[in-house]
Amino acid sequence: MTKENPKPLHFWNNVCYGLSAVALSITGNAIGLFFPVFILEVAQITPAQNSILTITAKVVSSVSGFFVGFLVEATNTRWGKLKPWLFLTTFPAAACYFFLWFSPDIVSPTGKLIWYLVFYGGFKLLMRGFGNARSSLVMFATQEPRERDTLNTYSSAFDTAAILLSTLIQQGTFALFHANIGYDPCGNATLNGTHAHHGPSLDTEKTAYMTAGAVGTGIFVVCGLAAVLGVPERKDISRVQRSSCFPAGDIKELVLHPPFLAMAVINLLLMLGLNTKQNYRALLLQYTFNLSDQVFYIIIVYTVASIVATFVWSVVMRRIGRKETVCLGILVFLLPNNAALLIATEELLGSALLPFMYAVTVWGGIGDGSFKLILSVMKTDVIDNFKLKTDKKMASILYSLWGSSSIVMNGISTAVFNWILQSANYNADDCVQPNRVKQALRYITAGTPPAAYVIALLFVWLYPITEESRMKTKMALDARRTAADEERRTLLNNADNISVQERL
């Protein structure tokens, strides 16, 4: 251990960093799953206004995600580089998140749209700052790769658990108020082509959504402060002075760095496969396999399998290496999992379909449990490699570029897949979808990920950082830090000697 990081990280530090992932995941998952229903059926803005709101939020997120890394990188205060960003974005982001679930008594449709544009866009903007600082914190919490791997393991496990937690909060709150989360085409009645509102009143649903939003807001604040108070930030004493927040030369040097380019492609492909499966899994189970009553339980089983597998994959990764773990997860778990979803039908399996789906879910959860962990630890290796080659850390900028490219890819893929479903005559108001929709969901959810995984394997093979080169990088950086420590001590001793001589 060096002087700047004399103490090893403790269990509490790992837990606090994991809790910071909960802040991101619990809000993001709630918005992804429930906000579309809330904004159309409770806030009652028009579909056209919803399109404006969604597109604006994505543009704000992608653009701010690109620039925020440079601003974080340029920050250097007496309280650190990252802690000010984490602290100053936590409370405004929490306020924006709360007011997202508040339905104001605004008669004007334009006024209501402006309300949600302000708070949705503000939330996305602030979360890019919070998320970038949180991701970069792992590079400043410790210089030891093994401790960074542990931090990333807890982060991945807590992130997965937060997906289930957000669903439980929403379900529990609505059960408490005896309210409906949204319109169910297979359960609600219709009247003259419109939805007949049976059961709880609109005011009850507004209260339920606002209560769930308040619970999520409280958890977000607690988890955000956990990162500020519970994770150390080592000051970057080797900080390079730059003449601009957006150094063109450094950016060019970064984008031409082979490990960065390989990692960018691997990250995009693996996240494409993971996000596609998560986004359309519920529709696949409901319409293709006719298991709508089992969706919630299957998601629970998947989440538990992923959480447990994350810690197992951490051990496996240390024994066989990063690249080998990625290949093992894809070849042994994910490709068979997706192949099973492609060929499984109710006619083929009969009464064995339900246990088969649970077994496939566990197998897929184990495979998916490796992805977030492996991607996060490989990114730290790229940052260390870039630091060794150029003597520039630039962690915030690297995370910013990776994050922005993922947002763009996710937006494009979602638009393409929704267009495919629309072409297949998918209609959310239909209780039973046509066979074309069922097949489209099967190929999107189970066919797209394997294609992305196979291409990703090629880039994993081309990825230049091996276990041997990673250890050499660690030793070289340790030697460089030791030499810098010796030089600083020598300068301090000389300054002390000069001071003593002047007094004499």
Side-chain angles (χ1 to χ4, degrees):
M1 294 286 179
T2 65
K3 185 177 180 180
E4 288 75 27
N5 190 29
K7 296 181 180 179
L9 296 181
H10 300 292
F11 171 75
W12 175 248
N13 302 130
N14 297 325
V15 170
C16 286
Y17 188 71
L19 288 174
S20 68
V22 174
L24 287 169
S25 185
I26 198 170
T27 54
N29 188 65
I31 289 175
L33 289 179
F34 306 109
F35 190 66
V37 178
F38 166 81
I39 203 69
L40 289 173
E41 299 187 9
V42 179
Q44 295 183 341
I45 73 170
T46 66
Q49 289 176 327
N50 185 41
S51 298
I52 295 173
L53 178 63
T54 303
I55 293 173
T56 302
K58 287 187 178 294
V59 170
V60 169
S61 182
S62 58
V63 173
S64 62
F66 176 80
F67 288 105
V68 74
F70 298 93
L71 298 176
V72 173
E73 184 68 22
T75 302
N76 189 37
T77 71
R78 58 186 293 185
W79 300 282
K81 177 190 291 288
L82 307 174
K83 293 293 183 73
W85 281 88
L86 291 170
F87 182 77
L88 294 176
T89 56
T90 294
F91 292 100
C96 288
Y97 180 76
F98 173 77
F99 285 111
L100 271 183
W101 304 101
F102 183 79
S103 184
D105 294 327
I106 299 176
V107 178
S108 170
T110 303
K112 191 177 292 186
L113 175 62
I114 293 174
W115 171 279
Y116 289 108
L117 281 173
V118 169
F119 289 110
Y120 199 14
F123 178 75
K124 289 290 186 180
L125 177 65
L126 291 164
M127 288 305 291
R128 296 310 297 166
F130 179 90
N132 185 278
R134 192 207 77 87
S135 297
S136 303
L137 184 59
V138 72
M139 298 301 301
F140 290 83
T142 176
Q143 294 171 345
E144 294 298 317
R146 181 178 288 269
E147 290 186 332
R148 291 174 183 167
D149 292 352
T150 303
L151 287 172
N152 284 316
T153 300
Y154 277 81
S155 176
S156 301
F158 277 61
D159 176 80
T160 304
I163 296 175
L164 177 60
L165 178 60
S166 66
T167 305
L168 290 174
I169 290 172
Q170 211 78 19
Q171 297 278 3
T173 304
F174 276 75
L176 180 65
F177 284 91
H178 304 286
N180 298 322
I181 288 182
Y183 168 68
D184 179 9
C186 299
N188 291 7
T190 58
L191 181 63
N192 297 328
T194 61
H195 308 323
H197 195 90
H198 297 308
S201 66
L202 186 61
D203 288 339
T204 301
E205 293 188 3
K206 288 181 179 180
T207 304
Y209 272 107
M210 192 167 60
T211 302
V215 174
T217 300
I219 294 175
F220 178 87
V221 171
V222 171
C223 293
L225 292 178
V228 177
L229 303 176
V231 184
E233 179 186 351
R234 177 181 55 85
K235 285 194 175 183
D236 189 5
I237 55 177
S238 62
R239 181 175 179 265
V240 179
Q241 297 293 332
R242 297 186 177 89
S243 58
S244 171
C245 287
F246 307 100
D250 291 346
I251 298 173
K252 180 179 179 181
E253 195 172 20
L254 173 61
V255 298
L256 295 178
H257 189 57
F260 169 79
L261 294 175
M263 188 67 241
V265 177
I266 294 170
N267 180 66
L268 286 177
L269 291 170
L270 294 185
M271 292 309 296
L272 172 63
L274 182 63
N275 290 336
T276 300
K277 187 189 296 185
Q278 290 183 346
N279 291 341
Y280 296 95
R281 181 195 297 116
L283 292 176
L284 178 75
L285 293 171
Q286 180 175 352
Y287 295 118
T288 304
F289 295 112
N290 296 318
L291 296 174
S292 57
D293 58 332
Q294 297 293 320
V295 171
F296 182 66
Y297 305 106
I298 288 177
I299 291 176
I300 291 178
V301 170
Y302 167 85
T303 304
V304 172
S306 296
I307 294 171
V308 175
T310 299
F311 292 96
V312 176
W313 283 117
S314 178
V315 176
V316 173
M317 178 184 67
R318 291 177 181 176
R319 291 185 176 274
I320 68 175
R322 271 91 153 129
K323 296 171 67 171
E324 293 78 5
T325 302
V326 173
C327 295
L328 179 65
I330 291 175
L331 296 175
V332 176
F333 291 93
L334 294 176
L335 291 182
N337 168 257
N338 285 275
L341 292 176
L342 281 172
I343 64 175
T345 62
E346 194 171 3
E347 294 78 11
L348 177 65
L349 297 174
S351 59
L353 176 63
L354 183 58
F356 178 82
M357 289 305 301
Y358 274 100
V360 169
T361 298
V362 172
W363 201 253
I366 294 173
D368 288 342
S370 67
F371 274 8
K372 291 180 181 179
L373 171 62
I374 295 299
L375 288 174
S376 58
V377 299
M378 289 176 71
K379 288 174 182 177
T380 62
D381 296 339
V382 172
I383 295 171
D384 278 341
N385 185 269
F386 185 76
K387 168 84 172 171
L388 179 65
K389 301 291 184 183
T390 65
D391 201 28
K392 302 167 187 172
K393 183 175 264 185
M394 295 177 65
S396 300
I397 296 177
L398 269 77
Y399 281 116
S400 178
L401 295 176
W402 282 322
S404 297
S405 59
S406 296
I407 291 172
V408 173
M409 171 64 81
N410 188 43
I412 294 174
S413 62
T414 301
V416 171
F417 295 147
N418 287 342
W419 174 80
I420 292 174
L421 289 176
Q422 191 71 28
S423 301
N425 296 323
Y426 170 77
N427 188 342
D429 289 337
D430 291 341
C431 180
V432 179
Q433 300 292 340
N435 288 329
R436 291 180 61 189
V437 172
K438 296 179 180 180
Q439 292 303 315
L441 286 169
R442 185 190 297 272
Y443 294 134
I444 289 173
T445 310
T448 302
Y453 298 153
V454 170
I455 301 173
L457 283 175
L458 172 63
F459 285 90
V460 170
W461 179 66
L462 296 173
Y463 180 68
I465 299 179
T466 63
E467 291 302 302
E468 182 181 0
S469 66
R470 190 174 65 83
M471 294 307 299
K472 289 181 178 179
T473 297
K474 178 186 181 303
M475 290 187 291
L477 289 176
D478 286 343
R480 183 180 294 179
R481 283 189 288 265
T482 301
D485 288 343
E486 291 294 335
E487 182 180 356
R488 282 190 297 276
R489 279 194 290 268
T490 301
L491 291 174
L492 288 174
N493 290 334
N494 292 338
D496 290 341
N497 292 334
I498 293 174
S499 177
V500 171
Q501 291 174 1
E502 289 177 349
R503 285 197 298 270
L504 293 176

